[in-house]
Amino acid sequence: WQVQPIHVDDLVEIVVHQLRAPRALCGRLDVAGPAAMSTDELTAVMGRWLGLEKGRTPVLPIPRWLLAFVTHAGIGPASPESLTMLAAGNTAPLAPLFDRTGIMPRPVEQVLALHPSTSADLAMSRLSPMIPVMRWLLALVWLAGGLVSLGLAPAGSTDAMLARLGLAGTAAMVALWVGSLADIAVGLAILARRRGGALAGVMLMGGYTTILSAVAPELWADPFGPLVKNLAVLGLSLAVHALEMRRG
């Protein structure tokens, strides 16, 4: 893909110039940066700005069909609209812009040099692609928990655990379905990026953990860690909630 990035400061200068111009602009004026570059070249420019040495971070080619799939699934950091704009082309001649405004946008690297990156910029550049991955993994944990309890878990193990809670027969079946549907609802809420979905999972998991700790405390010493692993899910849930709140 070819892009022609312009810094926001230059864009603002052009807009202000047009607002103050003695005559109104008739027609369309394409606003773009000083030079076209590929998205790979732009990525390299941003990498140098972040202080990443060439070759230090591997760059893997991603097939466009795979990028389109993960984008429409809401997994990647891009959006379907951004892919459409990239495919439509994002370059333009500079002569009409300069003739109209007398302003020549600065190269991206020159402008970035005026605003050195910080450790927060580097951290966010690494974290941003992981936000949708974290959300999907957390949602899959809840969806799998609900679906497995309904149809894949051995009936004997489920019945035995419910019996320790004093539940049997219809009461046990109702409790199983309510818990499983609650798990699935939390998973779907997280996938749909509903505010509070991850926190609802934290509260539900807290309830499960409290009950199991009371009726089966030996699970804390189980080598497979069915309860200990809840601590990792707790951390993931709080991270997803915090990052989603940042966007909303």
Side-chain angles (χ1 to χ4, degrees):
W1 286 307
Q2 290 291 309
V3 294
Q4 200 166 334
I6 180 173
H7 194 270
V8 64
D9 290 347
D10 293 335
L11 176 60
V12 169
E13 183 181 2
I14 293 171
V15 171
V16 171
H17 178 277
Q18 289 303 113
L19 292 175
R20 294 176 176 174
R23 55 193 178 92
L25 174 64
C26 297
R28 186 182 72 180
L29 181 64
D30 292 324
V31 179
M37 61 177 64
S38 68
T39 48
D40 288 343
E41 291 171 330
L42 179 58
T43 300
V45 169
M46 298 303 297
R48 289 192 293 271
W49 177 68
L50 290 169
L52 300 176
E53 299 176 3
K54 185 178 181 181
R56 179 180 173 184
T57 303
V59 178
L60 301 177
I62 302 177
R64 292 194 180 186
W65 65 266
L66 179 58
L67 181 60
F69 171 77
V70 298
T71 297
H72 283 83
I75 301 176
S79 66
E81 292 77 13
S82 63
L83 291 185
T84 300
M85 289 189 291
L86 285 171
N90 289 269
T91 61
L94 280 182
L97 175 64
F98 183 75
D99 293 342
R100 176 71 187 185
T101 65
I103 299 173
M104 178 60 69
R106 296 163 293 176
V108 175
E109 289 189 86
Q110 177 183 335
V111 181
L112 289 176
L114 301 176
H115 306 277
S117 65
T118 65
S119 57
D121 294 317
L122 179 59
M124 185 51 63
S125 70
R126 290 173 169 170
L127 180 60
S128 292
M130 296 305 300
I131 294 175
V133 176
M134 293 164 60
R135 184 176 69 250
W136 271 77
L137 289 176
L138 181 60
L140 288 176
V141 168
W142 284 105
L143 291 174
L147 295 174
V148 167
S149 298
L150 286 179
L152 299 179
S157 62
T158 304
D159 293 341
M161 184 59 67
L162 291 173
R164 297 181 67 171
L165 294 173
L167 299 174
T170 302
M173 182 63 67
V174 170
L176 176 63
W177 274 88
V178 169
S180 298
L181 292 178
D183 290 354
I184 294 172
V186 168
L188 293 177
I190 293 172
L191 279 184
R193 304 177 71 170
R194 296 292 184 183
R195 179 170 295 183
L199 280 187
V202 169
M203 291 186 289
L204 189 59
M205 181 179 63
Y208 291 157
T209 303
T210 300
I211 294 172
L212 290 175
S213 297
V215 301
E218 68 276 7
L219 291 178
W220 283 103
D222 190 294
F224 291 103
L227 290 183
V228 173
K229 290 175 182 176
N230 284 352
L231 299 177
V233 177
L234 172 62
L236 179 59
S237 300
L238 294 176
V240 168
H241 174 71
L243 293 169
E244 295 292 9
M245 289 292 287
R246 180 184 64 82
R247 293 172 171 230

